[in-house]
């Protein structure tokens, strides 16, 4: 299996942090993370950036701790390539800002920065992102002291001076077409901005693998909409339109201050693999499974295990309050990373579907729509009631993940990979 060279667009969020840790802990021969693009979504972009920096900080401390314990440091992907970190969109293109603090907590990680200040990244990282207006709460985080021998976070990532959509285009332009995969774990606003600025360069991506949508199951933010699609439906619709032979056919109506139409005559199609709630929701990490796996590492003094356990325990309390005692965490974003990993990706099936995103409905904002009518267009013929050109391959051509052979094993395998647990 060839190494995947990736850009990760993310809005951490608990499952985003788990997804990022899964990517960074991969073997160097499996994944190379070139850029982490940080956007609004689950929380505001400032808090999302803090969580990304905290992730690098804890991984640095973890590698130092493992080395002192005489263990393999792990995180081969990170040790082989120091990613760029860039700041992306802070609001949707047209719709009101909606976040998921009620689920992830005000800081996106169940209050871990307050409850465990000794694990927070040292103050000073904010100055490395002058393009970001850092919130007062972030400015006043308590300072921490680095343990002897640990790697400070600045050794594990490089701040990008460019906004994330420009950094994405630079990486795509600097590499051969079809060699860079974009993992979209967040509202697709930053990706839509990159595509609007230079669609030809954006379409050099090998594929966009996106966690978004709900096709045959209820949504998780409205009866019909999944959060990422709901948070910026115009952006999602614009990205999916690039999968059509003629993007103008499925583009959303332009809005005041919008990004405008794509240029005529674009060659080729963007390859999008969609991971909707239909496939991600069954992949869960039960609290009992998580506790049993992480307890030995916490007891041994693992900094990363201590940090992850803190925000996961807080999240499981929220899940118990909202959904019932003993319910698990849906591994929506980690499954997108898992798609690229040996032993996981081979067990995931994809199939082509015309998927579009509703941008104008009063009750259906962010709904992902596919045609379930059992009809086909005859050669040269017309079908009554096919307004919008759903039949005959005239619309979007999205590859949708429809089946998984790792439902039972994925959660445990993810924790083992992140914590370097044998077995």
């Amino acid at each position: 299996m060839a190494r995947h060279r990736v850009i990760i667009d993310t809005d951490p969020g608990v499952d985003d942090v788990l997804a990022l840790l899964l990517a960074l802990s991969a073997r160097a021969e499996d994944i190379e993370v070139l850029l982490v693009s940080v956007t609004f979504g689950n929380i505001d972009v400032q808090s999302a950036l803090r969580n990304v920096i905290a992730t690098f900080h804890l991984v640095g401390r973890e590698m130092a701790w493992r080395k002192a314990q005489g263990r393999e440091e792990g995180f081969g992907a990170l040790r082989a390539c120091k990613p760029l970190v860039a700041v992306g969109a802070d609001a949707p293109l047209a719709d009101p800002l909606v976040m998921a603090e009620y689920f992830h907590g005000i800081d996106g990680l169940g209050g871990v920065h307050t409850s465990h200040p000794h694990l927070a990244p040292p103050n000073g990282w904010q100055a490395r992102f002058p393009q970001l207006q850092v919130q007062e709460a972030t400015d006043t985080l308590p300072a921490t002291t680095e343990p002897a021998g640990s790697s400070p976070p600045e050794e594990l990532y490089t701040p990008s001076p460019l906004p994330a959509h420009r950094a994405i285009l630079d990486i795509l332009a600097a590499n051969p077409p079809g060699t860079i995969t974009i993992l979209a774990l967040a509202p697709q606003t930053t990706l839509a901005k990159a595509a609007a600025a230079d669609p030809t360069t954006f379409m050099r991506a090998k594929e966009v693998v996106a966690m978004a949508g709900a096709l045959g199951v209820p949504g998780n933010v409205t009866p019909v909409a999944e959060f990422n699609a709901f948070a910026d439906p115009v952006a999602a619709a614009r990205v999916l339109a690039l999968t059509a032979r003629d993007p103008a056919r499925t583009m959303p109506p332009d809005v005041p201050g919008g990004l405008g139409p794509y240029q005529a005559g674009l060659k080729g199609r963007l390859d999008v693999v969609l991971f909707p709630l239909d496939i991600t929701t069954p992949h869960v990490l039960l609290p009992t499974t998580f506790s049993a796996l992480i307890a030995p590492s916490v007891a041994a003094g693992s900094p990363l295990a201590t940090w992850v356990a803190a925000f996961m325990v807080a999240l499981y309390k929220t899940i118990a309050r909202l959904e019932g005692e003993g319910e698990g965490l849906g591994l929506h974003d980690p499954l997108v990373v898992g798609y690229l990993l040996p032993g996981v990706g081979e067990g995931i099936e994809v199939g082509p579907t015309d998927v579009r995103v509703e941008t104008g409905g009063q009750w259906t904002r962010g709904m992902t729509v596919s045609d379930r009518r059992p009809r086909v267009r005859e050669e040269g013929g017309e079908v009554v009631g096919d307004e919008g050109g759903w039949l005959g391959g005239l619309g979007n051509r999205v590859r949708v993940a429809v089946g998984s052979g790792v439902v039972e094993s994925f959660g445990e395998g993810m924790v083992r990979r992140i914590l370097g647990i044998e077995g």
Side-chain angles (χ1 to χ4, degrees), residues 75-393:
F75 297 94
L78 179 58
R79 287 188 285 113
C81 177
K82 182 167 67 173
L84 288 168
V85 173
V87 180
D90 62 2
L93 295 178
D95 291 275
L97 180 64
V98 176
M99 296 185 289
E101 296 167 333
Y102 71 94
F103 185 78
H104 294 272
I106 194 70
D107 66 351
L109 293 177
V112 71
H113 299 297
T114 301
S115 65
H116 290 66
H118 60 291
L119 296 178
N123 283 338
W125 63 265
Q126 298 95 327
R128 309 188 80 211
F129 296 91
Q131 71 272 44
L132 184 70
Q133 295 297 316
V134 181
Q135 293 178 330
E136 182 179 354
T138 303
D139 286 334
T140 56
L141 281 173
T144 58
T145 302
E146 287 291 314
S150 71
S151 301
E154 57 266 31
E155 293 184 358
L156 299 179
Y157 72 93
T158 301
S160 171
L162 299 174
H165 73 281
R166 296 302 321 179
I168 290 170
L169 291 172
D170 278 4
I171 289 174
L172 292 173
N175 288 277
T179 60
I180 306 298
T181 296
I182 300 174
L183 302 183
L185 312 181
Q188 295 177 38
T189 316
T190 298
L191 303 189
K193 288 183 175 182
D198 190 343
T200 300
T201 297
F202 187 76
M203 292 172 67
R204 290 166 66 95
K206 178 181 178 181
E207 57 188 4
V208 174
V209 187
M211 194 283 119
L215 296 175
V217 299
N220 61 359
V221 66
T222 75
V224 295
E226 175 275 331
F227 177 80
N228 285 341
F230 181 82
D232 196 340
V234 173
R238 291 181 63 92
V239 172
L240 290 187
L242 289 173
T243 68
R245 282 184 293 186
D246 179 7
R249 282 185 174 270
T250 59
M251 280 279 281
D254 202 16
V255 294
L259 299 175
Y262 293 124
Q263 65 196 56
L266 288 175
K267 291 182 169 41
R269 293 179 174 181
L270 181 68
D271 187 6
V272 173
V273 181
L274 196 70
F275 276 72
L277 293 178
D278 309 55
I279 189 172
T280 63
T281 300
H283 296 78
V284 298
L285 181 59
L286 295 173
T288 50
T289 302
F290 173 76
S291 297
L293 284 170
I294 205 165
S297 295
V298 173
S302 160
L304 182 61
T306 302
W307 187 63
V308 171
F311 65 69
M312 287 291 285
V313 167
L315 184 68
Y316 280 128
K317 289 180 180 178
T318 299
I319 292 173
R321 176 169 51 84
L322 296 175
E323 301 176 17
E325 200 71 37
E327 292 296 318
L329 170 66
L331 301 176
H332 309 292
D333 294 332
L335 190 63
V336 172
V337 175
Y339 176 64
L340 306 183
L341 294 174
V344 178
E346 295 92 339
I348 296 175
E349 304 171 13
V350 298
T353 305
D354 185 350
V355 180
R356 310 183 195 183
V357 181
E358 175 57 52
T359 62
Q362 180 181 4
W363 308 117
T364 56
R365 165 183 166 180
M367 180 180 183
T368 39
V369 182
S370 62
D371 191 352
R372 302 180 188 178
R373 295 173 296 180
R375 296 185 293 170
V376 296
R377 183 188 296 275
E378 296 180 3
E379 186 69 28
E382 294 293 331
V383 176
V384 176
D386 189 30
E387 187 68 26
W390 291 85
L391 302 174

